[in-house]
Amino acid sequence: MKNYLLLNLLLSFSIIASLELEANAKFSECQGKVANYYLSNLVDGGTVEGWLKAAAMHEKYYNDRNFKVEVLTEMQYSVDEDGNVSDKFVSLDTLVVWNSLSARNEFQKYLENRSSEQVEKDEKEFSAFVNLYEKNTKVTERKRLCML
């Protein structure tokens, strides 16, 4: 009888925890860091160096506006069924990581409340790193992440 009660208690906690996870699975309720994820490939004439320079400019764009954002870069490589890693990368990942959803939302407020002079400056700097990304890569997938 004790084992049955213990099993029921464990199952109840498990169900409650599962329901809690489902209830908090909405992006709008993310309790961790949030990120914009971009999967891309090099274009003809594009270079990894150009992509990395664009990522550095991207991070500087946010930091120059007093928003603490990390722009992380990753290169993906294929692994065969034996666990051997290819030396040729298959894609490039860029993660724009915010400390929280509220930090990301603060940037949105900034965008909505800029002076025309600030908009002009921001667009010039934003276009510079976007153009460098586009000169070197083509984005094939975009996602928003909640990193717990």
Side-chain angles (χ1 to χ4, degrees):
M1 182 73 170
K2 277 186 176 179
N3 287 341
Y4 178 73
L5 287 174
L6 184 59
L7 180 62
N8 270 339
L9 187 59
L10 287 173
L11 284 173
S12 295
F13 284 133
S14 175
I15 290 170
I16 290 169
S18 174
L19 291 174
E20 183 70 21
L21 181 60
E22 283 182 32
N24 291 330
K26 297 176 184 170
F27 182 77
S28 61
E29 297 173 2
C30 178
Q31 297 298 308
K33 292 183 176 188
V34 296
N36 298 341
Y37 170 79
Y38 304 95
L39 177 71
S40 57
N41 295 311
L42 285 180
V43 297
D44 287 339
T47 66
V48 170
E49 292 78 14
W51 165 66
L52 292 172
K53 183 176 180 185
M57 291 168 63
H58 193 166
E59 184 171 280
K60 185 177 182 325
Y61 172 85
Y62 292 112
N63 292 334
D64 285 353
R65 287 149 183 81
N66 297 316
F67 291 95
K68 293 185 178 186
V69 174
E70 285 184 279
V71 177
L72 306 174
T73 54
E74 303 173 336
M75 297 173 73
Q76 289 188 31
Y77 297 85
S78 294
V79 178
D80 67 21
E81 59 276 351
D82 296 324
N84 299 311
V85 179
S86 167
D87 277 338
K88 186 174 191 289
F89 65 89
V90 293
S91 64
L92 307 169
D93 300 344
T94 307
L95 287 162
V96 181
V97 183
W98 299 82
N99 283 334
S100 66
L101 188 56
S102 62
R104 175 69 176 89
N105 290 340
E106 284 301 313
F107 181 69
Q108 285 304 122
K109 287 180 191 173
Y110 163 80
L111 292 176
E112 294 166 5
N113 295 300
R114 298 175 292 172
S115 67
S116 58
E117 294 82 19
Q118 189 64 47
V119 168
E120 188 176 321
K121 180 180 189 299
D122 289 354
E123 286 180 358
K124 181 179 178 183
E125 292 179 27
F126 182 85
S127 293
F129 72 78
V130 168
N131 290 339
L132 190 55
Y133 275 131
E134 290 175 348
K135 179 180 176 184
N136 291 282
T137 63
K138 177 172 176 45
V139 174
T140 59
E141 189 172 345
R142 290 179 169 86
K143 292 185 181 181
R144 292 283 165 98
L145 306 178
C146 177
M147 300 164 57
L148 304 174

